[in-house]
Amino acid sequence: VAEIYRALNSDPIDVAVLRRMAISEGGLLTDEIRCKVWPKLLSVNTDDLPPLPAGKELREDSKDYQQVLLDVRRSLRRFPPGMPDDQREVLQEELIDIILHVLKRNPQLHYYQGYHDIVVTFLLVVGDRLATALVEKLSTHHLRDFMDPTMDNTKHILNYLMPIIDQVNPEVHDFMQSAEVGTIFALSWLITWFGHVLSDFRHVVRLYDFFLACHPLMPIYFAAVIVLHREQEVLDCECDMASVHHLLSQIPQDLPYESLISKAGDLFVQFPPSELAKEAAQAAQAERTAASTFKDFELASVQQRPDTVLRQRFRERLRGEERTKSILTKPRTNRFVKLAVMGLTVALGAAALAVVKSALEWAPKFELQIFP
């Protein structure tokens, strides 16, 4: 706590230290601290917050109002248990207004089911006015790919999942490929930053500390380490799409979050997105994602390099360990086999997207599993 406040009180504010604190064990610890640090991580000026949105006018003019209303009404479990109904109803109205306000100010953004799960987390932590500013910045940066008119960029980000798993554990990767499970099981994890699937709010905000301090693709790395953590469960499962999808879509609530956060950060440093892009999809598609333009956001924020913080942290961890004993470096398969797989990736990139698209067309079957 003392180190966080020293960073906040320094001139200029030491955002690199704040990022390190958000990543390190325990994260930012309290909502009071998050109210001070989250705006710094997103470069939001808290001295110039926009006025609160006018609810009635927003609702009359918004084409998304009815869908937002339905989603917010279904979000009862996202509020603290035992909260009085009248207090929850007030927060739900504020939640609707925040979403519609951001969409009105940014007509290039398109609402998606699950967006409200992210917004409600900010509302509960920082209140409606600050949440509006933070969500707007987040929506035009980290969440930008999810808010396109189509899901193409979201599918592309999901395509990073299997290459990450392959780098660490080829056996799990090959098993999942044989089962043809795809990556749809991780869709709700990714687009809600795990807010929809985790029942304990403490775990949700801990992950938000981590994601806000890092690159926009960090949630997909965290999704990968969850799968890797469940290695034995996966390998013991029947090798078919339905069985593996059912297993992976039921996310455990007792995950070792601090350990997984640490591993996700290390994997990002060892296997950065730039090295996985060819395996994830065609380069032309990768260049169109907001995640690939994150450099612009970094350059606009002096000393706010999340990747630098992660690399420094990773180097410090390695000093205390022998590199040869690192559990994250997998024994590589035959070099020629690997080259052949990489060569096929480009040819199969379009097919991979088509498979995901086909899976998404099963919406009537999967809707309740993705967003119950």
Side-chain angles (χ1 to χ4, degrees):
V1 172
E3 190 167 358
I4 291 171
Y5 277 101
R6 275 197 299 272
L8 284 169
N9 294 328
S10 65
D11 188 15
I13 292 173
D14 195 337
V15 181
V17 169
L18 296 179
R19 289 193 186 281
R20 190 167 71 248
M21 293 295 98
I23 294 168
S24 64
E25 186 171 356
L28 297 176
L29 304 174
T30 70
D31 287 351
E32 180 183 358
I33 293 176
R34 291 183 177 100
C35 288
K36 299 177 184 296
V37 175
W38 281 5
K40 307 307 177 188
L41 298 180
L42 286 173
S43 297
V44 169
N45 182 5
T46 55
D47 295 327
D48 187 26
L49 294 177
L52 293 174
K56 184 177 180 181
E57 181 181 341
L58 282 173
R59 299 177 190 206
E60 291 175 349
D61 296 341
S62 175
K63 62 180 174 58
D64 297 300
Y65 171 60
Q66 290 301 325
Q67 184 60 54
V68 173
L69 179 63
L70 288 173
D71 290 344
V72 169
R73 282 178 175 171
R74 289 196 294 253
S75 66
L76 297 183
R77 68 185 187 87
R78 290 305 317 281
F79 294 89
M83 174 179 282
D85 289 345
D86 55 349
Q87 183 181 353
R88 174 184 48 76
E89 289 167 2
V90 169
L91 289 170
Q92 286 180 306
E93 294 301 311
E94 292 175 349
L95 177 57
I96 293 171
D97 289 343
I98 292 171
I99 294 171
L100 297 182
H101 177 74
V102 172
L103 294 174
K104 182 176 181 178
R105 282 173 51 90
N106 301 272
Q108 77 278 15
L109 302 179
H110 296 262
Y111 177 77
Y112 65 87
Q113 188 181 13
Y115 180 68
H116 69 289
D117 283 298
I118 289 182
V119 180
V120 72
T121 303
F122 284 89
L123 173 62
L124 291 173
V125 173
V126 305
D128 57 348
R129 193 174 180 197
L130 182 52
T132 302
L134 297 182
V135 167
E136 182 167 11
K137 174 61 75 71
L138 196 71
S139 300
T140 54
H141 288 88
H142 291 65
L143 307 180
R144 180 64 184 85
D145 291 319
F146 309 145
M147 306 191 75
D148 276 347
T150 70
M151 290 191 67
D152 289 347
N153 284 340
T154 302
K155 297 174 198 171
H156 174 69
I157 294 173
L158 280 169
N159 283 342
Y160 278 83
L161 181 66
M162 295 307 292
I164 298 169
I165 293 172
D166 187 32
Q167 290 291 338
V168 182
N169 193 323
E171 185 180 6
V172 171
H173 169 271
D174 294 347
F175 181 89
M176 293 175 66
Q177 292 288 71
S178 296
E180 300 181 341
V181 67
T183 57
I184 289 300
F185 66 87
L187 176 61
S188 65
W189 304 359
L190 178 68
I191 64 176
T192 71
W193 277 12
F194 297 84
H196 183 77
V197 294
L198 297 181
S199 58
D200 193 324
F201 191 71
R202 295 173 303 167
H203 297 152
V204 175
V205 294
R206 173 66 188 101
L207 287 182
Y208 277 43
D209 292 341
F210 179 47
F211 296 153
L212 287 171
C214 295
H215 189 282
L217 284 179
M218 188 55 77
I220 203 67
Y221 282 80
F222 192 78
V225 297
I226 290 178
V227 176
L228 293 166
H229 173 71
R230 304 181 71 190
E231 170 190 359
Q232 201 56 54
E233 290 179 82
V234 173
L235 296 178
D236 289 345
C237 190
E238 291 291 330
C239 190
D240 63 75
M241 185 272 187
S243 299
V244 181
H245 175 89
H246 178 74
L247 171 71
L248 292 175
S249 62
Q250 305 300 311
I251 189 168
Q253 298 297 312
D254 59 347
L255 294 168
Y257 292 95
E258 295 300 335
S259 172
L260 296 183
I261 285 171
S262 179
K263 289 179 180 178
D266 291 347
L267 286 181
F268 184 93
V269 174
Q270 288 186 293
F271 312 112
S274 58
E275 293 185 9
L276 303 176
K278 289 182 180 179
E279 296 182 58
Q282 297 177 1
Q285 177 70 15
E287 290 172 359
R288 289 201 295 269
T289 64
S292 67
T293 64
F294 187 61
K295 194 71 177 177
D296 297 336
F297 185 46
E298 288 183 328
L299 292 175
S301 308
V302 179
Q303 294 186 344
Q304 293 193 34
R305 294 285 301 277
D307 298 2
T308 300
V309 172
L310 283 169
R311 282 194 293 271
Q312 178 183 353
R313 177 179 171 279
F314 182 63
R315 285 195 297 269
E316 291 171 353
R317 286 167 57 83
L318 283 183
R319 290 192 191 107
E321 304 173 1
E322 293 180 13
R323 291 175 183 267
T324 55
K325 294 182 180 179
S326 173
I327 63 171
L328 293 175
T329 304
K330 71 172 185 177
R332 298 312 296 157
T333 52
N334 182 284
R335 176 173 176 268
F336 295 102
V337 173
K338 184 62 179 177
L339 289 174
V341 173
M342 291 178 66
L344 284 171
T345 302
V346 174
L348 294 175
L353 289 178
V355 169
V356 176
K357 181 176 184 297
S358 298
L360 289 171
E361 287 170 353
W362 300 348
K365 299 179 183 178
F366 277 109
E367 184 178 10
L368 293 179
Q369 296 183 45
I370 296 174
F371 292 107

